[in-house]
Amino acid sequence: TPGETTEIILGGDIDLTGSLVFGDNSGSPAPTRAGAVKSFVLNLNGKTITTTWENEQDGRHHYAILNNANLVLEGKGAIEARGIKNFGEMTVNGNVTIKNIDSNGGAAIWNEGKVTINNGTFISSENAGNGSYGAALNTRSGGEAVVNSGTFKAYSQLTYAIVNEGKTTI
């Protein structure tokens, strides 16, 4: 329900065969749907989310999270997947490690909405650019990122720490 916040605390590690979807998955950025946006807090609670299953059609891992809402990611923990695809508004507060492991591009955070990063480690692994370029943070046209603190790592010629086609403030 808009105006209410749903809190999720992970009780164990999870291996996804698809993406966790927060909010309306209509494809348009959440900020354009004022009044219909839901709020969530995801506390990793020291746990790890992975996506080891690859899409049979294009050989890519799933994004662990598709965010179309207001999402706060907190708590110590890790996400090892194609990363998080953000169309909404997202805040990263915790001692989180997000590692893009996909060998066909992607990003630890693929941002087409607004993201505020207050802490964490964001990695585009050595495998993340073998088929296409990968990034730790990729802010697309129309997206906005504010980085207050964090560590951004890239490991090969085809991976980048930060890609910006929108507005990124560090």
Side-chain angles (χ1 to χ4, degrees), residues 153-169:
K153 298 179 182 180
Y155 286 98
S156 72
Q157 291 179 345
L158 291 176
T159 63
Y160 302 91
I162 297 175
V163 173
N164 180 48
E165 292 183 11
K167 179 181 178 185
T168 297
T169 303

Side-chain angles (χ1 to χ4, degrees), residues 18-42:
S19 299
L20 297 175
V21 178
F22 291 91
D24 177 9
N25 196 22
S26 68
S28 64
T32 65
R33 297 189 311 272
V37 178
K38 295 181 180 180
S39 296
F40 299 89
V41 174
L42 175 59

Side-chain angles (χ1 to χ4, degrees), residues 32-52:
T32 65
R33 297 189 311 272
V37 178
K38 295 181 180 180
S39 296
F40 299 89
V41 174
L42 175 59
N43 184 335
L44 294 177
N45 193 32
K47 309 305 181 208
T48 300
I49 297 173
T50 56
T51 59
T52 55

Side-chain angles (χ1 to χ4, degrees), residues 112-134:
E112 295 188 36
K114 180 178 180 182
V115 63
T116 301
I117 297 172
N118 295 318
N119 196 11
T121 301
F122 308 88
I123 302 167
S124 189
S125 77
E126 62 276 3
N127 295 325
N130 292 339
S132 180
Y133 79 89

Side-chain angles (χ1 to χ4, degrees), residues 39-122:
S39 296
F40 299 89
V41 174
L42 175 59
N43 184 335
L44 294 177
N45 193 32
K47 309 305 181 208
T48 300
I49 297 173
T50 56
T51 59
T52 55
W53 184 81
E54 293 185 14
N55 184 317
E56 293 175 9
Q57 293 179 353
D58 60 15
R60 297 178 180 183
H61 284 80
H62 285 284
Y63 280 95
I65 295 172
L66 298 177
N67 180 45
N68 300 287
N70 292 326
L71 174 64
V72 175
L73 186 61
E74 63 184 26
K76 182 178 181 180
I79 296 173
E80 295 183 10
R82 191 172 175 90
I84 295 175
K85 197 166 195 178
N86 179 49
F87 293 103
E89 293 191 23
M90 186 170 78
T91 302
V92 181
N93 287 330
N95 187 13
V96 175
T97 298
I98 303 173
K99 183 176 182 182
N100 170 22
I101 61 170
D102 198 76
S103 63
N104 197 6
I109 296 180
W110 181 278
N111 180 39
E112 295 188 36
K114 180 178 180 182
V115 63
T116 301
I117 297 172
N118 295 318
N119 196 11
T121 301
F122 308 88

